[in-house]
Amino acid sequence: MTDQEILTKLTAIFRDIFDDDAIVLTRESNADDIEEWDSLNQIKIILACEKAFGRPMSARKINTLENVGEMVDYIRGELG
Amino acid sequence: MAAPVDIAALTAALRALPTGDADGDALQRLGRRARRAVAAGDLGKPVRIRIVSSFMIDMLADALAASLLRRGIVAEFDLAPYGALPTGLIGQASQPDCDVLMLLPTHRDVMHTPDLQADRDVAARAADREADFWAGLWPSDRPVVQLTFDPPAFRAAAEADGFTPGGTLSHVRAVNQRLAERAGSNVALVDAEALAAQVGRDWHSARTYALCKQPFANDAMTEVSEALAAAVAGVTGRGRKVLVLDLDNTIWGGVIGDVGLEGLVLGMETAEGEAFVALQRYAQALSRRGVILAVCSKNNDAIARSAFGGHSGMVLQADDIACFMANFEDKATNIRRIAGTLNVGLDSLVFVDDNPVEREWVKSQLPEVLVIDLPEDPAGYVEAIEKARPFPLHRLTAEDVGRNRSYLARAKVAEAAGSAGDIDAFLAGLEPRATCAPLAPENADRVVQLIGKTNQFKLNPTTWPADALRADGVGVLALSLADRMQDYGIVAVAVTRAAGDDLIVEQWVMSCRVFSRRLEHAMLERLVRSAVENGCRRIVLPFEPSAKNGVARDFLTALGFVEADGGRLVIDVDTPAAAPHHMTLIDWRRP
């Protein structure tokens, strides 16, 4: 899976969880850009990622990441 | 900022969810939308539900919003802060106002577990103390929904944990029993032990609990959400009241009009027969606790009723059925009549029918009726009804037990208003295709079989072995039907012989499976074409009434046939069509 494909899947997840089809994600996107991106929604994102990418994800690790780009890198690493 | 919620789309999406096993993520997604719509004031005045839980319920709250809205309940949640259970509930006067209080503890909240070695009396006192505390948190002036204590994930004392009075599992069960004894009519307990057994291994998820303090895995979301929503519906008086049952292939195997009583698959002798017995037993058990039973069947009334008390495999009896509608009109019209006769709203009805076309029709015409999505296999029928949780009950009253009989006593036949919706649009929407083929080696067996075993739509008792069908001057029209839902194969056959001005239809059979599809109109159109090709001006049917083919006569009269000499039914080829059949009529000829 390419980085762009990962980003596309993440975008779909974010749009679903925040119920907002206007969301556009870039590598630089972070919690400052999306108002409702709090710890609860972070959990929903993690669970949705596990389902979408078919792999368990480390919540502890993900919570240290600074932006969407680092999430893409982490997921790419997990997918091997 | 997200766009305003499209309410019509939300309602349609909720209706499109299967009645059982809806996808948990879909429920949460639709629930998020519902909560936004409620917050914006777009769904009307909500029921305010205060949820006090000892685990994180934000995701459950989303799913619950959808599960409630499916049941016609617009809910607004007041979620108590994490950790508010139980201490935040002590001191009733300072409780925030709400319409329904929902309490969701887990076994982790149990406080007075006795020592493992405790004897029965010590254990009983501990259970009393525990139950008194929790029951003391219940207000008496509003509905309460509470999850009982669930079985712990681990049993350090193995099987003894549940069988020794001092075991943790024993204590949990004893407390739950006492909670049920102390619950007033405003308290609806949801049996967590039964729910955990249904959910299975996803009930205890150490991982999800570590991640977000939700004790069950996300795969259990649907069952938990639906169970709680059903309890809210029950305790606020919004449970459904009537189970409307189809007959053929729903409560017995086979079509009674075709195979007769002796041909029904029903009874403990075969696996399939047992499945139908199980459904009948379940329906009867429902009626014994207050659910009203009705029948809606496309059958001759007397023939349909003959099974009740007339077949050894039957469990349901005639006086279990408060309203019995058996005729050949469409089911939406009949279900409206049932609601009218029983004097209940359409939103009180649950409809169970094995035929997906009938289910689609009723769903499209009567969206307030809950139409259960049945699996193909009758062995799954009871589970399909259970999973939809249409008849919540938290407390049995004498009135519940007597209800079915009192409806039966009061029921009278009432003519309900007119016919159901636009049947033409519905039939056309099925995109039906009727293909007409002559007798061919590959269809000969089916043609002979259909003529032989059809009883209801059949002109006369003449039999037609393959040789007779191949004789000179004999024409065979084998009509098969397919639509966007299924392919029915050959379902009608006409055997013709041209005799001067008359095209004689020596035999005409049609499967009762397609009685509501206007296929006889398509066959007539094809017969007219045959007649014209042969220079005939009339179509003549040698009709002989039998015990079973009265319905054929009704169909033929509706087509425009009139009685002529010798009891024959005739029609001129230029008689205009009685009704559109909406079918693409294809002639298949061997190239």
Side-chain angles (χ1 to χ4, degrees):
Chain A
M1 199 175 288
T2 67
D3 281 10
Q4 186 51 49
E5 285 166 330
I6 294 174
L7 189 63
T8 302
K9 264 196 158 141
L10 277 176
T11 306
I13 287 171
F14 274 64
R15 285 181 179 172
D16 192 46
I17 284 169
F18 295 104
D19 200 16
D20 184 355
D21 282 342
I23 287 177
V24 172
L25 290 180
T26 67
R27 287 189 62 96
E28 288 69 41
S29 303
N30 60 27
D32 294 335
D33 302 318
I34 298 179
E35 201 182 321
E36 291 163 7
W37 189 348
D38 55 14
S39 56
L40 168 64
N41 281 322
Q42 176 77 337
I43 290 165
K44 294 182 190 177
I45 289 167
I46 292 168
L47 288 170
C49 281
E50 290 190 333
K51 204 164 177 182
F53 296 104
R55 295 189 48 85
M57 307 232 157
S58 161
R60 193 184 306 141
K61 176 75 181 146
I62 291 183
N63 288 336
T64 67
L65 303 175
E66 294 286 330
N67 56 34
V68 170
E70 290 188 12
M71 274 183 85
V72 172
D73 294 339
Y74 169 71
I75 292 169
R76 188 187 59 239
E78 286 298 299
L79 293 176
Chain B
M1 204 66 247
V5 176
D6 179 345
I7 303 292
L10 175 60
T11 309
L14 284 170
R15 284 222 176 97
L17 292 171
T19 54
D21 292 328
D23 176 57
D25 288 343
L27 270 180
Q28 288 180 65
R29 185 182 328 124
L30 294 174
R32 277 196 281 280
R33 224 167 273 172
R35 291 177 80 183
R36 262 203 308 122
V38 171
D42 293 337
L43 276 170
K45 185 168 184 294
V47 172
R48 294 165 309 155
I49 304 182
R50 178 163 167 79
I51 307 183
V52 189
S53 162
S54 56
F55 55 90
M56 285 291 279
I57 42 158
D58 295 82
M59 289 191 285
L60 175 58
D62 284 341
L64 191 53
S67 293
L68 286 166
L69 193 55
R70 290 174 88 182
R71 287 170 168 76
I73 300 172
V74 174
E76 182 182 63
F77 301 118
D78 170 16
L79 305 181
Y82 178 65
L85 191 71
T87 47
L89 281 171
I90 298 170
Q92 291 299 322
S94 58
Q95 293 305 308
D97 200 20
C98 63
D99 299 315
V100 177
L101 180 64
M102 181 178 284
L103 302 177
L104 305 178
T106 75
H107 64 271
R108 301 163 190 82
D109 300 303
V110 161
M111 297 174 291
H112 301 298
T113 310
D115 291 333
L116 188 59
Q117 304 88 331
D119 66 22
R120 195 180 306 156
D121 293 328
V122 171
R125 282 200 299 276
D128 283 330
R129 233 177 118 204
E130 188 95 55
D132 284 340
F133 171 79
W134 291 96
L137 300 176
W138 295 331
S140 53
D141 61 350
R142 71 201 64 194
V144 177
V145 171
Q146 173 161 340
L147 203 56
T148 63
F149 296 100
D150 60 319
F154 310 111
R155 291 177 294 158
E159 303 308 331
D161 215 75
F163 299 131
T164 303
T168 322
L169 183 53
S170 287
H171 180 66
V172 162
R173 286 182 177 149
V175 172
N176 286 339
Q177 188 61 45
R178 283 157 175 75
L179 285 178
E181 287 159 14
R182 286 155 175 70
S185 58
N186 66 315
V187 177
L189 294 175
V190 176
D191 192 328
E193 188 169 4
L195 187 54
Q198 258 175 284
V199 164
R201 66 187 331 159
D202 286 329
W203 180 259
H204 292 293
S205 170
R207 184 173 188 267
T208 316
Y209 191 68
L211 185 65
C212 60
K213 289 281 181 292
Q214 175 183 289
F216 51 88
N218 252 18
D219 280 346
M221 186 65 74
T222 300
E223 286 299 301
V224 178
S225 177
E226 289 287 304
L228 291 173
V232 172
V235 80
T236 57
R238 286 179 180 82
R240 291 183 185 255
K241 302 190 179 95
V242 182
L243 179 62
V244 180
L245 294 165
D246 171 49
L247 296 179
D248 294 322
N249 291 310
T250 297
I251 74 164
W252 58 61
V255 174
I256 192 173
D258 260 3
V259 304
L261 269 181
E262 58 281 2
L264 296 185
V265 177
L266 179 65
M268 303 306 281
E269 299 77 28
T270 65
E272 210 190 336
E274 273 196 64
F276 293 112
V277 168
L279 177 61
Q280 290 201 22
R281 284 218 175 102
Y282 184 69
Q284 195 180 59
L286 286 175
S287 79
R288 301 270 187 266
R289 58 81 150 182
V291 175
I292 300 159
L293 299 184
V295 160
C296 178
S297 172
K298 284 218 172 111
N299 252 308
N300 170 281
D301 183 75
I303 290 175
R305 287 181 193 268
S306 69
F308 290 79
H311 188 289
S312 62
M314 285 293 287
V315 170
L316 287 170
Q317 296 155 32
D319 58 1
D320 287 327
I321 312 295
C323 185
F324 199 104
M325 291 280 168
N327 54 55
F328 288 99
E329 288 177 81
D330 77 281
K331 292 207 176 189
T333 297
N334 277 304
I335 288 173
R336 275 220 185 84
R337 282 198 190 113
I338 289 170
T341 303
L342 297 173
N343 204 18
V344 296
L346 288 169
D347 59 359
S348 289
L349 302 182
V350 179
F351 179 51
V352 171
D353 192 316
D354 71 291
N355 186 336
V357 176
E358 296 287 11
R359 297 200 298 263
E360 273 305 305
W361 172 242
V362 173
K363 274 186 202 178
S364 71
Q365 297 306 298
L366 305 174
E368 311 93 320
V369 173
L370 180 66
V371 178
I372 302 291
D373 295 315
L374 286 188
E376 290 263 351
D377 183 358
Y381 286 178
V382 175
E383 187 185 11
I385 299 173
E386 279 264 289
K387 279 206 158 156
R389 298 180 170 86
F391 306 115
L393 185 69
H394 59 280
R395 186 185 189 78
L396 198 65
T397 67
E399 210 256 334
D400 288 320
V401 174
R403 181 175 301 125
N404 203 41
R405 292 209 183 279
S406 83
Y407 266 84
L408 181 68
R410 283 189 284 148
K412 56 194 187 308
V413 176
E415 288 301 323
S419 205
D422 189 355
I423 197 158
D424 288 275
F426 178 72
L427 288 176
L430 289 173
E431 296 163 26
R433 293 183 312 284
T435 305
C436 188
L439 190 71
E442 64 270 18
N443 68 23
D445 284 347
R446 170 63 180 156
V447 167
V448 169
Q449 179 203 59
L450 189 64
I451 295 173
K453 74 181 180 73
T454 304
N455 293 312
Q456 296 188 77
F457 194 113
K458 189 172 193 172
L459 297 186
N460 52 58
T462 60
T463 55
W464 290 86
D467 283 347
L469 293 171
R470 286 193 271 262
D472 273 359
V474 173
V476 174
L477 300 175
L479 215 59
S480 55
L481 176 67
D483 60 23
R484 64 175 167 80
M485 297 185 78
Q486 49 183 306
D487 187 343
Y488 302 81
I490 292 175
V491 281
V493 171
V495 182
T496 65
R497 184 169 58 80
D501 273 357
D502 291 349
L503 183 77
I504 315 222
V505 183
E506 304 275 15
Q507 183 57 282
W508 180 359
V509 295
M510 184 166 77
S511 166
C512 58
R513 276 198 297 150
V514 294
F515 272 1
S516 46
R517 306 298 302 272
R518 297 207 189 142
L519 189 64
E520 67 279 7
H521 293 264
M523 178 65 98
L524 179 60
E525 184 184 312
R526 187 59 189 78
L527 285 168
V528 166
R529 202 183 303 165
S530 268
V532 168
E533 279 168 8
N534 284 281
C536 304
R537 285 185 13 235
R538 283 197 324 174
I539 296 170
V540 175
L541 313 182
F543 185 82
E544 285 174 40
S546 75
K548 290 184 176 169
N549 73 353
V551 66
R553 213 211 160 79
D554 296 335
F555 276 107
L556 295 166
T557 309
L559 284 174
F561 282 89
V562 295
E563 199 167 316
D565 51 309
R568 302 184 305 166
L569 298 173
V570 302
I571 197 170
D572 279 345
V573 297
D574 48 16
T575 306
H581 53 67
H582 304 292
M583 296 191 193
T584 309
L585 189 52
I586 303 156
D587 247 359
W588 183 92
R589 285 180 213 280
R590 203 173 279 286

